[in-house]
């Protein structure tokens, strides 16, 4: 399949939904302005697209999980705003534009990130008109998302990343950190789409294996791009990992071996989908795209 066409069509769905959502925020609010600025600054929208693709893989319709997909993108944007702050990565650019704290100020950026996280959970809980089974599935999704971005996921991964700048991590420590920091939200996205589309236990298990593989592959690819990526395509500086003396896959394994690891992870992801039919082709295509991307 044409993965670029698929991603473009799904990205259009996501961004149309985000436009509508953000248009409903209170006017004359500096925090709302910062939220909209950060959410609509661009990006691949991979997490919401994975949510919709996982729903498709088990027979669901993308539009039926769109609200969940949008919530995932809000959470992801919250994490980027906070990741860029002076107290963490202190980045000036994100997607080729000034980071939120550079465009506004640090206090506004903190509050905008907090507001996006809360808006995501507001979206997931605002409609109480579902039947009992759908409500139960939604509760499972809310739990998975909260866990994925909390102390058992992204936040713990972030602090391990910060502390890791002061020493060299071994490969096991690096993998654990990235499975938490990057992989946990990706796994939550895949689970959310599958769960809301009424996936069975065996399908959930297989998709979890898929998401764990691509979650780590995504970080391997990011590490490689930080070495040899094009700043013009990425919208941010390269070489920053080496400058901060961060432990990365290219630093620990070498660039060639890091690429080999990424290829093995993609193969693992495809193997996890062996029991699925052609409805999971978007997930297969995304797995390959993750390592082939240039930004």
């Amino acid at each position: 399949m044409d993965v670029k066409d698929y991603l473009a069509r799904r990205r259009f769905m996501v961004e149309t939904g985000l436009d509508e959502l953000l248009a409903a925020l209170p006017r004359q609010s500096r925090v709302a302005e910062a939220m909209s600025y950060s959410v609509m600054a661009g990006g691949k929208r991979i997490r919401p697209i994975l949510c919709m693709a996982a729903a498709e893989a088990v027979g669901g319709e993308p539009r039926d999980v769109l609200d969940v997909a949008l919530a995932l993108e809000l959470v992801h944007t919250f994490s980027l705003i906070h990741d860029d702050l002076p107290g963490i990565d202190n980045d000036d650019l994100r997607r080729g534009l000034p980071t939120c704290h550079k465009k506004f100020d640090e206090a506004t950026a903190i509050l905008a990130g907090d507001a996006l996280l809360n808006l995501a959970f507001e979206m997931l809980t605002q409609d109480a008109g579902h039947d009992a089974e759908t409500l139960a599935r939604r509760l499972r999704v809310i739990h998975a998302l909260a866990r994925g971005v909390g102390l058992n996921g992204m936040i713990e991964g972030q602090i391990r990343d910060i502390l890791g700048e002061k020493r060299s991590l071994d490969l096991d420590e690096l993998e654990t950190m990235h499975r938490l920091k990057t992989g946990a939200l990706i796994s939550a996205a895949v689970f959310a789409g599958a769960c809301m589309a009424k996936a069975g236990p065996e399908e959930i298990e297989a998709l979890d294996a898929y998401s764990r593989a691509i979650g780590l592959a995504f970080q391997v690819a990011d590490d490689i791009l930080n070495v040899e990526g094009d700043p013009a395509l990425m919208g941010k500086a390269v070489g920053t990992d080496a400058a901060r003396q961060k432990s990365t896959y290219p630093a620990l394994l070498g660039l060639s071996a890091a690429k080999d690891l990424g290829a093995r992870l993609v193969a693992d992801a495809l193997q996890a989908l062996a029991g699925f039919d052609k409805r999971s082709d978007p997930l297969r295509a995304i797995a390959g795209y993750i390592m082939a991307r240039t930004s």
Side-chain angles (χ1 to χ4, degrees):
M1 67 174 294
D2 185 339
V3 67
K4 290 184 178 180
D5 177 68
Y6 177 85
L7 292 173
R9 287 186 287 111
R10 292 292 175 263
R11 187 162 54 243
F12 178 79
M13 285 181 64
V14 171
E15 294 186 347
T16 299
L18 290 171
D19 271 333
E20 294 174 358
L21 175 66
L22 295 168
L25 293 179
R27 297 182 180 228
Q28 309 303 321
S29 167
R30 182 175 175 83
V31 172
E33 184 184 354
M35 292 164 69
S36 296
Y37 171 81
S38 297
V39 171
M40 301 310 295
K44 294 174 284 295
R45 314 300 189 189
I46 282 292
R47 289 152 190 84
I49 292 173
L50 280 169
C51 175
M52 292 188 285
E56 290 180 89
V58 298
E61 293 293 331
R63 187 155 295 280
D64 292 341
V65 297
L66 183 58
D67 63 332
V68 178
L70 298 182
L72 286 158
E73 189 65 9
L74 298 182
V75 172
H76 176 56
T77 306
F78 137 75
S79 74
L80 298 182
I81 292 173
H82 282 201
D83 195 43
D84 290 334
L85 288 168
I88 302 183
D89 281 351
N90 194 25
D91 282 325
D92 294 339
L93 291 176
R94 168 72 64 178
R95 297 165 176 165
L97 297 172
T99 50
C100 189
H101 69 275
K102 286 292 183 180
K103 174 71 174 179
F104 296 89
D105 54 68
E106 187 173 354
T108 302
I110 292 170
L111 294 172
D114 292 345
L116 285 169
L117 179 62
N118 283 282
L119 180 58
F121 287 105
E122 180 182 340
M123 286 182 61
L124 292 172
T125 56
Q126 68 184 358
D127 187 353
H130 298 295
D131 59 83
E133 181 185 352
T134 303
L135 285 170
R137 292 184 183 279
R138 191 167 288 262
L139 183 60
R140 290 178 66 194
V141 167
I142 291 168
H143 175 80
L145 181 55
R147 184 177 178 85
V149 300
L151 194 59
N152 292 294
M154 186 175 64
I155 287 175
E156 176 63 24
Q158 182 66 70
I159 192 62
R160 292 188 185 210
D161 191 19
I162 293 168
L163 296 175
E165 292 185 16
K166 300 176 182 178
R167 65 185 184 87
S168 296
L169 303 180
D170 61 31
L171 279 174
D172 287 342
E173 290 174 315
L174 189 65
E175 178 176 334
T176 298
M177 179 187 78
H178 287 316
R179 287 198 183 281
L180 292 167
K181 183 183 176 185
T182 304
L185 184 54
I186 287 176
S187 289
V190 172
F191 171 80
C195 181
M196 293 308 299
K198 302 182 180 180
E202 291 184 359
E203 291 172 314
I204 292 288
E205 184 177 357
L207 289 171
D208 181 62
Y210 167 86
S211 66
R212 285 174 58 81
I214 64 163
L216 194 55
F218 198 94
Q219 186 59 53
V220 172
D222 269 0
D223 285 357
I224 292 169
L225 286 171
N226 196 269
V227 174
E228 63 176 17
D230 182 345
L233 294 175
M234 296 175 64
K236 59 182 180 180
V238 299
T240 54
D241 289 343
R244 293 173 179 147
Q245 298 183 313
K246 292 181 68 170
S247 296
T248 65
Y249 284 101
L252 268 65
L253 298 174
L255 195 56
S256 178
K259 291 179 180 179
D260 289 343
L261 173 60
R264 290 196 300 273
L265 288 166
V266 170
D268 289 345
L270 297 178
Q271 180 58 41
L273 298 177
F276 291 80
D277 61 23
K278 65 180 182 180
R279 293 176 296 183
S280 68
D281 282 351
L283 289 178
R284 294 184 176 93
I286 291 169
Y289 162 80
I290 282 172
M291 285 304 299
R293 62 196 171 92
T294 57
S295 64

